[in-house]
Each structure stands twice: as C-alpha cells, then as structure tokens.
Amino acid sequence: MKTWELVKMAWKALGVNKLRSILTTSGITIGIFSIISVMTAIAALQTSIESGLSFLGANTFQFSKYPNGINVWGDEKYRNRRSIDYQTYLKFVRMIGDQVEVICPKVWDDSTQGVFENRKTNPNIELCGTTHDFLAANNFKISEGRNLSGEDVEFSRSVCVVGQQLVQRLFPQGHAVGETIKLNEKNYEVIGTLAEKGSSFGGNDDNLVVIPITKFFENYGSRERSLNTVSASLPAWARSCNSRRDCRTHQSFLCN
C-alpha cells in the first residue's frame, strides 16, 4: 500500500469521526504545551535558586548559632546553643591561620533606619557589622569609593558602605561618598557604595549597610548577639568534619 493511499485513508477517517479527531488533537496539543510549561517552570526555578545563592562566593561555608529564618526567639534547641562571640571568632581565625583565603564575621540588625538631612528610609535596613573581607566572602563589589579597611575595624571608625537602595533613597542626585548619615541616631561617614545586586530568596541585597564590627558592638552592644562567620576555601579538616569528635579534635565550635 502506497504512502499516498495511507494518507487518504487517514484523512477520510478524520472526516468520519470529527468529534473524536478534535478531542484527540486537542489532548495531544494540551499535553505537549503542559510538558513545555513544566520544563520552563523548572528551568526558571533553577535559575532563581542559582541567582539566590550567588550572594555567596564559590566554595563558601557559613556557620552560625541559628539556622536561616530562626531568630533569638526561635526554637529552644537553638537558643540553648553556645553563642559565637567576637573573641571566639578571633580564636577561630588564629586556629585556621592561612588555610582559608577569606574569612569574615557578620552580626546583624534588621530594623535600622537611615537618615540624611530631611530624607529617611523605612526602619528595615539590614545593618551588618563585619570586616573588610565581607565583600569577597559574599560576592559584593564596590561601585564608588572604597571598602572597609583593617584600620577601620581596629580603630572602630564611624564609617559605612551603603547599598544602592539607600543611595537611591537618601541621595537621589548621587554623590553619597563623603556625606554623613545617621543609622539609628548614630553618625557614620559614607566611604563607599555597593554595586547593585538585586534580590535573593525574598530578600533585597541592596537594602544593606556595612560598618566595622567593632563600631557595631560599641554603638549597639554585643550582649545576646551571636555572629555568623563565613569562610571561603575551607581547610581539609573542616571539609571532612563528620562528627563531634572530629570537631573537638580541632577545638572547633562548628558542630556544637
């Protein structure tokens, strides 16, 4: 039987059973578009997750007292964990020495308000006390001015690096560097601005102000605050730390 005859027979069959033919074709079409839609949604979700994780650099490890989303009033088992204070962080830095490329502490306040002259922000700024390694460990870049320095932390200077959302709100005409702003009624000189980064996991990485961690403790206190500590390119013992015994061997608080 020739191909042309098969085509004619199929065409006649479609004409005889029009309703069944329409339903079958519609079902096939809907199925194809459903598969395409699902695959597109999965690809978009993967892109969103990868973009959200981009706030950390490659080979970056972070540990803290509380998991993400748990605050000081969270689950009892987290509140009973030992806090990671600044002295513990310094001990950890001395312990690992030069085995990591970048390491920095982070302590947060998420209810900060910024004020410059007659302009102010909402009281929801993410204020981070940290060191000069914050940018490298968290994949931020400087847009204008400079980063925090070791001297800023050592001498507890009242300086800050601000995100683009604050720049747009407090300095709509630009030229933020060199100006003095208030953060929760404390004065800080703007020494730099962060390049725009966007949102990740529902948060806004541009709604951020970075200050020396020593100035953070001086102005806002260190009691009942626990650090998040970030390091990149972990030492071999940390990558293979699979038990509390391993951690105790290295005098580490990673698994407590």
Side-chain angles (χ1 to χ4, degrees):
M1 186 177 292
K2 295 182 179 181
T3 302
W4 178 244
E5 293 179 350
L6 291 174
V7 172
K8 289 194 294 184
M9 290 178 59
W11 186 256
K12 289 179 180 178
L14 289 174
V16 172
N17 302 286
K18 293 182 180 179
L19 180 59
R20 185 173 65 183
S21 300
I22 292 172
L23 293 176
T24 301
T25 304
S26 299
I28 294 173
T29 303
I30 292 172
I32 292 173
F33 277 100
S34 297
I35 293 174
I36 294 174
S37 299
V38 170
M39 295 303 294
T40 301
I42 292 174
L45 181 60
Q46 180 179 357
T47 301
S48 176
I49 293 174
E50 291 174 351
S51 175
L53 291 175
S54 68
F55 75 96
L56 292 175
N59 302 320
T60 299
F61 178 81
Q62 175 171 311
F63 56 91
S64 62
K65 179 177 180 178
Y66 300 101
N68 287 338
I70 302 294
N71 58 27
V72 71
W73 306 111
D75 194 288
E76 186 70 28
K77 65 180 180 181
Y78 300 123
R79 293 204 306 273
N80 289 338
R81 286 179 175 177
R82 183 175 57 181
S83 294
I84 305 173
D85 59 24
Y86 191 52
Q87 294 305 315
T88 304
Y89 160 75
L90 294 176
K91 179 181 177 181
F92 180 71
V93 171
R94 291 192 298 269
M95 179 182 68
I96 63 174
D98 59 357
Q99 296 182 73
V100 295
E101 296 177 0
V102 177
I103 182 168
C104 76
K106 299 187 296 183
V107 59
W108 297 92
D109 185 294
D110 59 3
S111 58
T112 300
Q113 184 175 50
V115 178
F116 176 70
E117 295 180 346
N118 62 342
R119 292 185 289 271
K120 62 177 64 177
T121 68
N122 292 328
N124 63 350
I125 295 173
E126 296 281 348
L127 178 65
C128 180
T130 185
T131 64
H132 64 284
D133 283 327
F134 175 85
L135 270 63
N138 294 277
N139 201 25
F140 281 92
K141 297 183 183 301
I142 289 290
S143 173
E144 183 182 4
R146 69 171 178 87
N147 186 19
L148 297 178
S149 67
E151 290 76 15
D152 293 332
V153 176
E154 180 180 358
F155 298 111
S156 188
R157 291 172 177 162
S158 297
V159 295
C160 66
V161 180
V162 301
Q164 285 299 311
Q165 184 162 315
L166 275 84
V167 173
Q168 295 168 12
R169 177 63 177 168
L170 300 181
F171 305 97
Q173 305 302 322
H175 308 294
V177 175
E179 300 291 354
T180 298
I181 65 174
K182 285 184 179 294
L183 299 172
N184 287 350
E185 303 302 323
K186 301 293 185 180
N187 290 327
Y188 295 87
E189 179 188 353
V190 179
I191 60 172
T193 63
L194 298 172
E196 186 172 358
K197 197 172 182 184
S199 302
S200 61
F201 296 108
N204 188 345
D205 290 334
D206 295 323
N207 189 36
L208 173 70
V209 179
V210 177
I211 66 174
I213 189 168
T214 48
K215 178 56 66 173
F216 185 102
F217 289 142
E218 180 181 314
N219 284 346
Y220 310 113
S222 59
R223 185 180 179 184
E224 296 184 356
R225 294 187 186 274
S226 184
L227 305 183
N228 291 357
T229 303
V230 175
S231 61
S233 301
L234 289 175
W237 65 260
R239 290 194 296 268
S240 62
C241 180
N242 295 317
S243 70
R244 292 177 179 271
R245 180 178 180 180
D246 292 335
C247 290
R248 285 195 296 269
T249 299
H250 294 93
Q251 303 177 34
S252 174
F253 47 78
L254 299 181
C255 300
N256 69 350

